Amino acid sequence: MTKKHVIALGNFDGVHIGHQKLLETTVTESIKLNAVPAVWSLKYENRQYITTIPEKVELLKSFGIQTAIFEEFKNVCEYSPERFVKEILIDKFNCVTAVCGFNFRFGQNRSGTADTLRSLINCIIISPVTYNDEIISSTLIRSVITNGDMEHVREILGHPYSVKNTVIAGKRLGHKIGVPTANQTFPEGQIIPAYGVYCTRCTIDNITYDCVTNVGVKPTVAILNQVICETHIIGYNGILYDSVLKIDFYKYLRSEKKFDSLDELKQAIDCDIKKAEEYFKND
């Protein structure tokens, strides 16, 4: 017999403070029942997301989840609620308790509700989690990200929005003007913040650095057909090409702007660096 599982159900995009309540309940119940705390979620094609699946798994584990299952939507989209509970939760994973949010939907054509789930299996339904009278949801957070308000995003996510991808070679114009940058593209499907300059942070070899990051198409030097995440790491002089770097976003500083010269661009970046240093000094 498969080990007993307590399974949290949902999409968990962003692993925000509402999700964290589900995870806390799942871990607590698993301890009571001597079961494995797990998450069961779906993978969708062509859908915007806040966190990639590897980042999501990392976050889920940080909240005590031991097993994370991501099933292709097309594999189960025709399951009735009854079939899903019997064949997936009970037969496959020996689920002794399911945990879901108040607005959870499942089964063919989203026909099952949280109450449906509770009628089919022992289930704990989590009430809405709010912040400043807003019900926290991934949809809300995506909207705030696209507006660039990273301080608000951090409050309702419970952690910074981040971009994690391989550092690619640029034209080295940053080196020429004394502000080298690490350039990254956004992973396919990840929601992109408002174009502009942000206070950010990254960790390299267990050392955390303050940074300034420009999100956009670099209009001063070349209007690109691809959005670039371009980060100057304050006080770091190493080579990062082909390494994977995670950039955490903290505050929006200004909009992306086309400058008349590289000298004007450098002056603006120097000002951005001072603002970032001051922000993190007081953060």
Side-chain angles (χ1 to χ4, degrees), residues 95 214 221 242:
C95 177
N214 184 81
V221 295
D242 297 326

Side-chain angles (χ1 to χ4, degrees), residues 20-280:
Q20 291 165 29
K21 182 65 176 175
L22 266 75
L23 301 176
E24 177 186 328
T25 302
T26 300
V27 171
T28 299
E29 283 299 302
S30 70
I31 293 170
K32 289 179 184 177
L33 299 173
N34 192 28
V36 177
V39 158
W40 192 96
S41 189
L42 288 168
K43 289 194 290 185
Y44 296 93
E45 294 181 359
N46 304 318
R47 179 175 288 194
Q48 283 195 318
Y49 55 81
I50 301 164
T51 44
T52 63
I53 287 180
E55 288 180 283
K56 197 183 294 188
V57 169
E58 189 175 317
L59 283 165
L60 292 172
K61 288 184 175 179
S62 74
F63 290 104
I65 296 300
Q66 294 180 19
T67 301
I69 304 105
F70 294 92
E71 182 65 66
E72 295 283 355
F73 173 71
K74 62 185 178 182
N75 293 342
V76 295
C77 62
E78 295 183 356
Y79 279 37
S80 67
E82 293 79 9
R83 182 184 176 191
F84 170 76
V85 170
K86 182 180 185 306
E87 294 187 13
I88 302 293
L89 295 186
I90 296 174
D91 292 349
K92 190 170 184 179
F93 292 106
N94 191 19
C95 177
V96 289
T97 299
V99 183
C100 70
F102 71 102
N103 58 351
F104 179 64
R105 302 300 294 258
F106 71 110
Q108 189 174 27
N109 298 322
R110 293 170 53 84
S111 57
T113 66
D115 286 333
T116 307
L117 185 65
R118 185 158 53 188
S119 72
L120 297 170
I121 193 171
N122 186 48
C123 177
I124 299 171
I125 300 172
I126 304 300
S127 300
V129 173
T130 61
Y131 185 89
N132 289 344
D133 298 324
E134 292 179 303
I135 295 178
I136 304 304
S137 69
S138 298
T139 300
L140 168 66
I141 293 167
R142 290 186 202 105
S143 174
V144 180
I145 290 170
T146 58
N147 290 333
D149 187 355
M150 291 302 169
E151 290 180 301
H152 188 32
V153 168
R154 188 155 52 109
E155 290 169 338
I156 55 183
L157 265 183
H159 54 86
Y161 164 86
S162 63
V163 175
K164 187 175 183 179
N165 213 349
T166 303
V167 176
I168 58 175
K171 294 185 177 180
R172 296 182 63 83
L173 289 175
H175 284 269
K176 291 179 182 178
I177 61 174
V179 281
T181 58
N183 297 338
Q184 299 162 288
T185 57
F186 285 82
E188 185 177 357
Q190 182 165 4
I191 193 157
I192 295 173
Y195 289 6
V197 178
Y198 296 84
C199 298
T200 58
R201 274 180 168 157
C202 71
T203 300
I204 304 168
D205 296 331
N206 296 317
I207 299 173
T208 298
Y209 294 87
D210 300 339
C211 312
V212 289
T213 296
N214 184 81
V215 174
V217 293
K218 302 171 71 171
T220 301
V221 295
I223 297 178
L224 306 174
N225 58 8
Q226 184 177 37
V227 181
I228 292 292
C229 177
E230 186 180 22
T231 300
H232 173 67
I233 305 167
I234 301 169
Y236 181 80
N237 297 309
I239 303 299
L240 294 169
Y241 296 138
D242 297 326
S243 61
V244 175
L245 192 63
K246 180 171 174 278
I247 306 296
D248 292 327
F249 285 67
Y250 283 80
K251 181 179 173 61
Y252 181 87
L253 285 178
R254 63 171 175 84
S255 61
E256 186 178 46
K257 180 181 176 181
K258 182 175 181 179
F259 295 95
D260 292 331
S261 68
L262 289 180
D263 283 341
E264 282 190 18
L265 173 61
K266 184 180 187 316
Q267 289 174 17
I269 295 173
D270 287 342
C271 183
D272 296 335
I273 290 169
K274 289 177 182 177
K275 288 179 179 178
E277 289 175 327
E278 189 66 26
Y279 173 78
F280 286 121

